[in-house]
Amino acid sequence: MLDSTESGKGSEYVQLIIPNETEIPEEEDEAANTNLESPRNEKKWTLKRWIKVIVWSSITILVLFVFVKWGVPFLAEKCLYPLLEWEATAFGPVVLSLVLVASLALLPVILLPSSPSMWLAGMIFGYGLGFIIIMVGMTIGMVLPYFIGLLFRDRIHQWLKRWPERADMIRLAGEGTWFHQFKVVAVFRISPFPYTIFNYVIVVTSMRFWPYLCGSVAAMVPEALIYIYMGRLMRTLADVKYKNRQLTTVEIIYNAASCVGAIITIVAFTVYAKRFINALKKAEANGKSPAPTH
């Protein structure tokens, strides 16, 4: 009887003591719940990302379809053919090439895009002379703002203070070795960052001239080829629409393959540029220079 009483007391003692000894601290419990919820959050984030990609891809395809279906014929009828006829009668090839070089050089200085001039160079002069015209004009158009910006460096620095995050990111872009600066300039050229503004604001950093020039020229090579292709494609579609030209099977395959290749190239460059710029933003947030990415 005594033993049973002592046994009952012991069991009660065990029931009272063991839960206290095995009680999980609140912090560990919260950490465990967080670890359990993190995979769910990652799945939700991945789902949101895929939905965003699908939506933006659908919008892009729709815009391209509308542009090709109605925009290209309208531009060809109202702008392209009148412009080509006017240029054929008003300018010779030499004068026209100089006009295009001048427009490519001066438009970025006044913060205007030079895409129409590149399209026109591709339409009229093709991949050979058109490529040379674009590279010469755009090189001048990148050098002039750089030296003009040096004259107003203090004012540009004061203007950038309105956007401290962008200013810090651009400042980090000018740090590092020669190759790092070359790579940063090339990435910024193919990124959504407006290159006409980049030509001026880069002077407030430690960016040297030669990596700036070489990186700009290197990034312009694929961009020039894409713009030339777009110009040639616009002219081909206009000829089919208004001159009743029949495309051969080889031309159809070539244009389709080139269009797909151009889209893939643009998307790949844009994705890489965004990743690199995000790395710069993280480096700026951590207060250190970004490590080279591959």
Side-chain angles (χ1 to χ4, degrees):
M1 187 70 180
L2 182 62
D3 293 338
S4 62
T5 304
E6 291 179 354
S7 175
K9 291 182 180 180
S11 62
E12 292 178 358
Y13 180 80
V14 169
Q15 291 176 358
L16 292 174
I17 298 301
I18 290 180
N20 292 332
E21 292 179 347
T22 58
E23 183 178 359
I24 300 175
E26 293 183 0
E27 295 180 355
E28 294 182 1
D29 188 36
E30 291 178 358
N33 292 333
T34 302
N35 292 333
L36 291 174
E37 292 178 358
S38 59
R40 298 178 183 176
N41 295 333
E42 290 179 359
K43 290 181 180 179
K44 291 181 180 179
W45 174 247
T46 304
L47 181 60
K48 289 181 180 179
R49 181 179 296 179
W50 276 110
I51 293 175
K52 187 177 180 180
V53 169
I54 293 172
V55 170
W56 280 109
S57 299
S58 302
I59 293 174
T60 303
I61 293 172
L62 180 61
V63 171
L64 288 175
F65 174 78
V66 172
F67 178 73
V68 172
K69 181 68 176 179
W70 291 285
V72 171
F74 177 80
L75 291 175
E77 181 179 1
K78 300 298 182 181
C79 303
L80 177 59
Y81 276 114
L83 183 61
L84 292 176
E85 292 177 0
W86 174 74
E87 289 176 342
T89 56
F91 301 108
V94 176
V95 177
L96 181 57
S97 62
L98 293 176
V99 170
L100 288 175
V101 169
S103 65
L104 290 168
L106 296 177
L107 287 176
V109 175
I110 56 177
L111 302 179
L112 291 178
S114 53
S115 304
S117 297
M118 289 190 280
W119 289 337
L120 204 55
M123 292 177 191
I124 299 173
F125 295 103
Y127 287 97
L129 186 56
F131 178 79
I132 296 174
I133 290 172
I134 291 175
M135 294 304 297
V136 172
M138 289 301 294
T139 300
I140 298 173
M142 292 181 292
V143 171
L144 286 178
Y146 182 87
F147 287 109
I148 294 173
L150 289 176
L151 300 176
F152 303 96
R153 185 174 184 178
D154 293 336
R155 291 187 179 182
I156 295 175
H157 182 72
Q158 294 297 325
W159 178 73
L160 279 176
K161 287 183 177 180
R162 301 177 183 177
W163 298 276
E165 294 182 0
R166 292 286 182 91
D168 291 338
M169 185 177 65
I170 294 172
R171 176 183 55 80
L172 285 174
E175 297 179 355
T177 62
W178 191 99
F179 179 73
H180 175 73
Q181 293 183 357
F182 165 87
K183 185 177 180 180
V184 168
V185 172
V187 169
F188 267 90
R189 290 291 178 197
I190 61 177
S191 72
F193 194 94
Y195 71 90
T196 53
I197 297 177
F198 179 77
N199 293 337
Y200 284 102
V201 299
I202 197 64
V203 299
V204 302
T205 70
S206 302
M207 177 71 65
R208 295 184 289 274
F209 174 73
W210 288 111
Y212 166 79
L213 178 62
C214 295
S216 300
V217 172
M220 273 303 303
V221 172
E223 186 176 355
L225 294 175
I226 290 174
Y227 274 106
I228 292 173
Y229 164 73
M230 293 173 66
R232 303 297 294 177
L233 180 62
M234 291 172 66
R235 183 164 188 169
T236 300
L237 294 175
D239 288 341
V240 171
K241 179 72 175 180
Y242 297 102
K243 288 188 176 181
N244 296 323
R245 178 188 169 189
Q246 299 295 326
L247 293 178
T248 64
T249 304
V250 176
E251 287 178 322
I252 294 174
I253 295 174
Y254 166 77
N255 286 311
S258 299
C259 183
V260 173
I263 293 174
I264 292 175
T265 302
I266 293 172
V267 171
F269 282 166
T270 303
V271 170
Y272 177 78
K274 285 185 177 181
R275 287 182 179 178
F276 190 87
I277 291 176
N278 288 334
L280 285 179
K281 291 180 180 179
K282 290 181 180 179
E284 186 273 331
N286 295 331
K288 60 182 180 179
S289 298
T293 57
H294 301 284

